[in-house]
Amino acid sequence: MKHILHIDINSFFASVEELLNPHYANHPIIVAGRTKRSVVSSANYLARSYGVKAAMPLHLALRLCPNAIIARPHFDVYRNYADKFFNIIAVDFTNRIEVSSIDECYVDITHLIKEHITPYQIAKKIQNTILSKIKLRCSIGIGPNKFLAKMGSDYKKPFGITSIYQEDLPTKIWPQPIDDMIWIGKATATLLKKHGIKTIGDIAKSQNKQIIESLLDKNWIVHYQRANGYDSDELDYAHNAPKSIGASETFLEDTSDWEEIKLKLVELVKNVVERLQEYQMQTKTISINIKYPNFVSQNRSLTIDHHTDDYEIILLRAIKLYHNNFLDQNVRLVGVSLSHLLSNDKLTVNSELFDDYVKTDINVINKNEISVIVNEINRQFARNIITTADKKNKLR
DNA sequence: TCTGGGGTCCTAGGACCC
DNA sequence: TCTGGGGTCCTAGGACCC
């Protein structure tokens, strides 16, 4: 049998903010952006005691907890702490780690278990080491697979350690509502509850197999097996390259102003292309994503016939995609995403040759239209930079 | 003062090819 | 004279996670 840990840093962003600002001690802390449409990214346990939760609109959180300190996020610092966190485990314990998000990982400790060394002792040692070296508390779940390990790290927070093996299912897993089962989200939970499936134990029951199968897609069997303590999902130790790179932004006010949207697209494309180049990758598919004021989203994407990391090509495609599909629509959010990514060193052909060809091609087909857009973008962009600089000067 | 932003994975239909 | 079967790729949408 394997022994897997799931390690999760407790209220990660808020905890780091407390470390950066010692005078925050004993205050409710909410990490959130600064606009009226911001939501809570992270909250410390004091803030949570007022009912504040992640993803809650900031104004609502402040109504629940008016004296909370709002900390602006510092993602670079968080990434730095995350690196230290994973490094401590890799160097002091084992490199059999799957990093699953900025503040979470799975660790296979099967090979570390000896006659007088239990999984719990290793977990405790990791927890204490993380606390003493980077002053962050984590919750750890222990189990024979990823699912039970993750359910374990959720079981007792903060600073808990929970073992869940097959014999613990009836007491620790089955009584829980299905909403608390990992990978069962709001949509699936609502559907199942409507048909009387209310607890994880209900999913595990063989007499409910047929009803679950009829309600869910073919993934139903995965949920059924997990509810019974089985999970065949193996740890993935590879440091995987990203599958997509995206950026999106919600406007302060909904807008249909093409000039404003165009500027935002320029900004977003700049952002994603820079990250694409940092990863030393190229893209083949460009997607535009919008959200209407009623929260309905739409995507439009375009796959080109070769990989590229060329800013101009990607920008023109993005602008055209938006222009052809969403012009004059009133939107709340606009986003750009790149997918079908490939590492530069895996490219078999020189994409620059294609890029040059495509550019001449674009110019032949849409010469006037494209040059008008490019000129317009350049003009708008220059103007925007100047006004931003002016504002800064005035502030000084 | 209603509801962010970064992702991964899956499904399903249609085009196209052999 | 009435319509296969397998496979891949593209596109759009949606569920779910932190």
Side-chain angles (χ1 to χ4, degrees):
Chain A
M1 182 175 55
K2 284 189 182 172
H3 299 281
I4 309 294
L5 304 184
H6 181 260
I7 311 178
D8 180 330
I9 301 184
N10 303 130
S11 40
F12 181 46
F13 295 175
S15 301
V16 173
E17 291 300 329
E18 285 187 46
L19 292 178
L20 297 177
N21 306 280
H23 60 281
Y24 285 179
N26 304 317
H27 285 87
I29 313 290
I30 292 172
V31 180
R34 86 171 72 79
T35 78
K36 61 177 185 177
R37 287 180 159 179
S38 293
V39 301
V40 175
S41 283
S42 174
N44 68 357
Y45 280 87
L46 193 48
R48 290 184 202 196
S49 71
Y50 290 84
V52 175
K53 291 190 172 105
M56 178 181 273
L58 180 59
H59 66 89
L60 213 67
L62 282 174
R63 210 179 298 161
L64 292 169
C65 184
N67 57 341
I69 295 174
I70 315 265
R72 305 305 173 202
H74 298 91
F75 293 106
D76 291 346
V77 182
Y78 306 153
R79 242 166 255 132
N80 208 339
Y81 266 92
D83 288 344
K84 287 183 195 165
F85 164 54
F86 300 129
N87 249 320
I88 289 169
I89 298 167
V91 172
D92 295 2
F93 296 91
T94 172
N95 59 3
R96 297 185 187 180
I97 303 173
E98 176 186 320
V99 173
S100 54
S101 83
I102 190 165
D103 66 340
E104 271 181 40
C105 61
Y106 296 92
V107 187
D108 187 337
I109 55 161
T110 311
H111 61 295
L112 301 178
I113 307 303
K114 309 263 159 63
E115 202 176 327
H116 300 293
I117 304 176
T118 64
Y120 183 88
Q121 288 170 327
I122 293 174
K124 191 71 211 165
K125 197 167 173 195
I126 290 177
Q127 201 182 48
N128 287 334
T129 308
I130 302 291
L131 180 62
S132 70
K133 288 200 172 175
I134 54 173
K135 310 291 176 222
L136 292 173
R137 289 169 200 279
C138 57
S139 293
I140 302 184
I142 309 169
N145 54 50
K146 285 167 78 170
F147 172 72
L148 291 182
K150 180 140 171 81
M151 292 298 291
S153 72
D154 273 344
Y155 197 81
K156 184 165 179 267
K157 289 183 169 183
F159 211 55
I161 297 179
T162 306
S163 283
I164 304 181
Y165 288 86
Q166 199 65 34
E167 60 271 24
D168 304 308
L169 293 176
T171 53
K172 294 180 179 168
I173 294 292
W174 291 344
Q176 293 194 49
I178 55 172
D179 316 70
D180 293 344
M181 181 165 165
I182 194 74
W183 304 123
I184 299 274
K186 227 178 177 173
T188 309
T190 306
L191 184 67
L192 290 177
K193 278 189 276 189
K194 208 181 284 176
H195 291 82
I197 312 280
K198 296 195 168 77
T199 65
I200 302 181
D202 290 338
I203 295 180
K205 282 180 194 151
S206 60
Q207 61 263 40
N208 286 334
K209 257 173 116 167
Q210 278 189 340
I211 182 163
I212 295 168
E213 181 176 6
S214 71
L215 293 173
L216 308 184
D217 60 21
K218 66 179 184 184
N219 245 345
W220 74 272
I221 192 85
V222 176
H223 295 305
Y224 174 76
Q225 287 172 338
R226 285 186 180 146
N228 280 291
Y230 301 102
D231 183 13
S232 56
D233 190 13
E234 298 289 331
L235 271 72
D236 180 1
Y237 304 134
H239 183 69
N240 290 318
K243 306 264 192 326
S244 67
I245 297 174
S248 62
E249 203 170 305
T250 298
F251 293 106
L252 285 176
E253 306 289 345
D254 303 339
T255 182
S256 56
D257 178 1
W258 175 227
E259 302 304 319
E260 184 183 6
I261 292 166
K262 203 155 55 181
L263 262 186
K264 189 55 72 186
L265 285 171
V266 171
E267 205 180 303
L268 295 170
V269 170
K270 226 178 159 61
N271 173 326
V272 292
V273 171
E274 274 170 14
R275 279 152 65 209
L276 180 72
Q277 292 170 349
E278 273 167 34
Y279 281 120
Q280 305 198 22
M281 299 184 89
Q282 310 228 353
T283 184
K284 204 163 172 278
T285 301
I286 295 135
S287 308
I288 291 293
N289 148 256
I290 60 152
K291 194 189 275 175
Y292 293 109
N294 65 2
F295 264 68
V296 172
S297 297
Q298 277 192 320
N299 301 305
R300 289 296 178 268
S301 67
L302 180 68
T303 299
I304 55 181
D305 60 3
H306 70 291
H307 285 81
T308 183
D309 65 352
D310 185 280
Y311 172 67
E312 199 176 323
I313 286 186
I314 295 170
L315 177 60
L316 290 175
R317 290 295 196 290
I319 297 275
K320 285 215 77 169
L321 261 178
Y322 193 98
H323 194 272
N324 291 345
N325 291 289
F326 302 128
L327 194 63
D328 296 335
Q329 299 289 325
N330 197 33
V331 297
R332 175 187 177 89
L333 166 147
V334 56
V336 175
S337 176
L338 308 177
S339 54
H340 272 119
L341 306 182
L342 195 63
S343 281
N344 283 346
D345 52 20
K346 283 185 184 149
L347 283 169
T348 51
V349 290
N350 184 350
S351 63
E352 284 174 28
L353 295 175
F354 282 93
D355 285 347
D356 289 341
Y357 170 75
V358 171
K359 277 186 210 168
T360 49
D361 197 38
I362 290 171
N363 284 332
V364 170
I365 298 167
N366 303 302
K367 200 171 178 182
N368 291 330
E369 194 181 355
I370 297 290
S371 61
V372 165
I373 292 177
V374 170
N375 287 338
E376 180 68 9
I377 287 166
N378 289 339
R379 198 170 59 79
Q380 294 268 345
F381 204 50
R383 199 170 66 196
N384 189 50
I385 289 168
I386 291 163
T387 40
T388 314
D390 281 349
K391 279 179 199 160
K392 278 184 187 157
N393 285 334
K394 274 177 197 161
L395 283 175
R396 282 193 211 110

